[in-house]
Every structure is written in structure tokens, then in C-alpha cells.
């Protein structure tokens, strides 16, 4: 469904730090290895949105940006590329859509993309493109099964017509997003992608966000603040005017030519 043409699987695996010889059959072990490697190597970021560039979701464009140019992207870019790579390796993948719930009491539009991956025994939820407290590895599509992924815990809650991904925080379980199992076609993501990239109410136009989760820590740039969260706690410090580009290179592997001016909002909204 997502893979409409050739994909350089070897180049993709190199981008996420894996070797083709290490990949096995399309099973849970391979899916978990791919998920962790992708999530921890390709940053979640919205820099092109702030630069006013078109966000393209065709696989050749995503391969050029995220693989060859070693950039990151947001959910539609990340999970479309991941879905294409999984399909190229023999996995059965279905696209899903979600309403983000974290940080809002309102009912928001379905502006998040995630994946269902059907293995022989049971279906799993995969998502390498959610900021904040996104998954490092897939989780089974089962209600109320708590999954520990290093220092973070997740679970799915089942409502009458939908599912909710939750992440455990110090004060309890926090809703991340709500989704249904209605299959989405690649074309279904074009309207929400356009909204996220261009609508004045889109948060991606108002907040610079760069994030990268690893088993050890979650690193995040939010406008002029740099945060590291780990099992030991959370630290945040301001980013100086001349420090942003070196920090993006050092902490996230994102390279921009010297003198590049990123349109960073003055304060998070």
C-alpha cells in the first residue's frame, strides 16, 4: 500500500544504524529492532514547516530527505517511510489515524499517523513519529497490557469505538492519542498533512520542535529550550542564539550550512 516503487533498503538500514545481514524474517524480533533503530536515529522535527517548505509524502521524496539528506520529520513523514520499509521487508502494514489528546481537553482533528502491523500471532501498534512520549518499540494491540520500554511505560485502553495510547508519568497515566482501527490509504494523509504544515492554527507553525528518544534519555528542543529527560529526572536549559545549529548537529545529527537562520519563535505557545 505504501511502497509504490523501489526503496533502497540497504541505505535505509544504514541510516538507522543496522546492517542488512542482521535483518531476519518479518517477525516480532525484526520489527522491534527496526522500530527502535528508526525511532532513535531519525529525529522528530518540524524545521521544514517553519521554513515554509512543502512537506511531501511520496516515498522517493521521503527517502531523499530522511535517508540521503539525513534529516528528520514529523509523523506523516516518519511513519510513511517506516511503513514502506516494512512492506519492502515483507511485513503486512495498515495505516491508521489518531486524534492527539495530550495537552488538550478539546476534541482535535485526526492529525497523527500510526501503523498497525499484523504478525502471525497478533496485531501490533508501531509508531516512530510521535513527539513527546512516543514509543521506542511496538506494543501489542491488546487492552490494559502495560509495556515497559526501558524507563518508560505504555498501555492501550479500549473505549467503545476507539483505542487510547497512554504513557505513565509521575502523576499517573497520561493520554497521548486516540485512534480507531479504520484503515487509511496514503491519500487520506494528504489533508491532515496539509493542515499541519500550513494552517495558522497548526502548532507546527508556532513551535520549533526537535526530539530524539533513546533507551537512555529523551532529548528535546522546544523553541529556545533544550531538555533531557531520563530515569534520573529532567533538566532544561536555554539555547543561545549562536548555539542552535551546533546543538542540532551534536545532539540530533542534523546538519545545516553555517549561517543558516532558522525561524525560531521567541517563546513556546
Amino acid at each position: 500500500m505504501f511502497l509504490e516503487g523501489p526503496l533502497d533498503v540497504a541505505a535505509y538500514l544504514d541510516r538507522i544504524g543496522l546492517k542488512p545481514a542482521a535483518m531476519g524474517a518479518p517477525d516480532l524480533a525484526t520489527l522491534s529492532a527496526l522500530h527502535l533503530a528508526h525511532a532513535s536515529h531519525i529525529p522528530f522535527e518540524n524545521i521544514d514547516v517553519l521554513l515554509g517548505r512543502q512537506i511531501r509524502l511520496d516515498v522517493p521524496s521521503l527517502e531523499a530527505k530522511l535517508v540521503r539528506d539525513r534529516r528528520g520529520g514529523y509523523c506523516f513523514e516518519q511513519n510513511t517511510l517506516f511503513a514502506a520499509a516494512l512492506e519492502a521487508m515483507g511485513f503486512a502494514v495498515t495505516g491508521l489515524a489518531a486524534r492527539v489528546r495530550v495537552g488538550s481537553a478539546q476534541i482535535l482533528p485526526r492529525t497523527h499517523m500510526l501503523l498497525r502491523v499484523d504478525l502471525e500471532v497478533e496485531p501490533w501498534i508501531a509508531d516512530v513519529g510521535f513527539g513527546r512520549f512516543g514509543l521506542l518499540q511496538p506494543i501489542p494491540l491488546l487492552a490494559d497490557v502495560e509495556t515497559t520500554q526501558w524507563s518508560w511505560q505504555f498501555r492501550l485502553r479500549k473505549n467503545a469505538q476507539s483505542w487510547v495510547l497512554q504513557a505513565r508519568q509521575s502523576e499517573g497515566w497520561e493520554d497521548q492519542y486516540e485512534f480507531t482501527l479504520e484503515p487509511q490509504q496514503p491519500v487520506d494523509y494528504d489533508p491532515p498533512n496539509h493542515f499541519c504544515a500550513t494552517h495558522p492554527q497548526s502548532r507546527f507553525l508556532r513551535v520549533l520542535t526537535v526530539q530524539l528518544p533513546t533507551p537512555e534519555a529523551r532529548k528535546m528542543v522546544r523553541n529556545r529550550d533544550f531538555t533531557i529527560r531520563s530515569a534520573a529526572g529532567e533538566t532544561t536549559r536555554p539555547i543561545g542564539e549562536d548555539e542552535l545549529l551546533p546543538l542540532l548537529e551534536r545532539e540530533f545529527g542534523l546538519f545545516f550550512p553555517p549561517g543558516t537562520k532558522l525561524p525560531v519563535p521567541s517563546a513556546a505557545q
Side-chain angles (χ1 to χ4, degrees):
M1 180 175 69
F2 291 95
L3 189 63
E4 298 179 350
L7 175 69
D8 190 338
V9 175
Y12 168 76
L13 292 175
D14 180 72
R15 173 70 175 98
I16 63 174
L18 297 176
K19 297 184 180 301
M23 293 295 94
D27 55 19
L28 179 58
T30 301
L31 175 63
S32 297
L34 289 166
H35 196 292
L36 174 61
H38 184 125
S40 59
H41 281 79
I42 303 183
F44 179 96
E45 50 110 332
N46 67 326
I47 293 173
D48 278 359
V49 173
L50 291 173
L51 290 173
R53 297 173 179 171
Q54 183 179 8
I55 304 300
R56 304 181 65 92
L57 299 183
D58 60 285
V59 172
S61 295
L62 294 174
E63 186 177 17
K65 178 182 176 180
L66 276 67
V67 177
R68 293 201 299 272
D69 293 344
R70 307 187 75 82
R71 285 286 308 283
Y74 59 14
C75 68
F76 301 112
E77 300 171 282
Q78 299 266 10
N79 281 319
T80 297
L81 177 64
F82 190 51
L86 291 178
E87 288 184 345
M89 287 180 266
F91 288 91
V93 183
T94 302
L96 304 177
R99 303 180 191 273
V100 175
R101 293 181 61 162
V102 63
S104 177
Q106 299 178 339
I107 297 178
L108 300 177
R110 293 185 177 94
T111 57
H112 181 61
M113 175 185 181
L114 65 152
L115 305 173
R116 169 176 172 164
V117 182
D118 286 287
L119 302 179
E120 288 188 3
V121 178
E122 60 190 359
W124 290 71
I125 293 299
D127 185 358
V128 295
F130 190 66
R132 193 166 172 84
F133 295 101
L135 299 172
L136 284 166
Q137 292 184 311
I139 60 174
L141 185 57
L142 298 171
D144 301 319
V145 176
E146 297 185 15
T147 301
T148 298
Q149 299 182 359
W150 290 274
S151 298
W152 295 274
Q153 290 79 43
F154 302 94
R155 72 180 182 186
L156 292 172
R157 301 301 306 274
K158 180 70 169 66
N159 297 327
Q161 298 178 335
S162 64
W163 296 76
V164 178
L165 175 69
Q166 295 182 320
R168 186 188 288 277
Q169 308 298 330
S170 58
E171 63 274 14
W173 289 100
E174 177 187 71
D175 291 354
Q176 302 300 297
Y177 53 76
E178 177 184 15
F179 63 96
T180 70
L181 300 182
E182 179 184 358
Q184 304 291 302
Q185 299 298 319
V187 69
D188 292 325
Y189 298 116
D190 288 340
N193 177 55
H194 181 69
F195 174 90
C196 289
T198 65
H199 198 282
Q201 293 182 2
S202 170
R203 191 166 186 81
F204 291 116
L205 286 171
R206 295 183 285 118
V207 180
L208 170 66
T209 298
V210 184
Q211 301 183 45
L212 190 67
T214 68
E216 295 77 23
R218 293 174 181 267
K219 297 180 288 187
M220 178 177 70
V221 167
R222 189 167 183 262
N223 287 346
R224 292 294 185 186
D225 290 325
F226 177 51
T227 298
I228 298 179
R229 183 166 186 171
S230 68
E234 181 177 301
T235 61
T236 298
R237 66 173 179 83
I239 304 170
E241 181 72 27
D242 298 328
E243 187 186 2
L244 180 58
L245 294 185
L247 185 144
L248 292 178
E249 178 179 338
R250 181 179 68 252
E251 300 291 344
F252 301 93
L254 297 175
F255 299 86
F256 295 92
T260 299
K261 297 297 183 182
L262 300 182
V264 181
S266 59
Q269 300 178 36

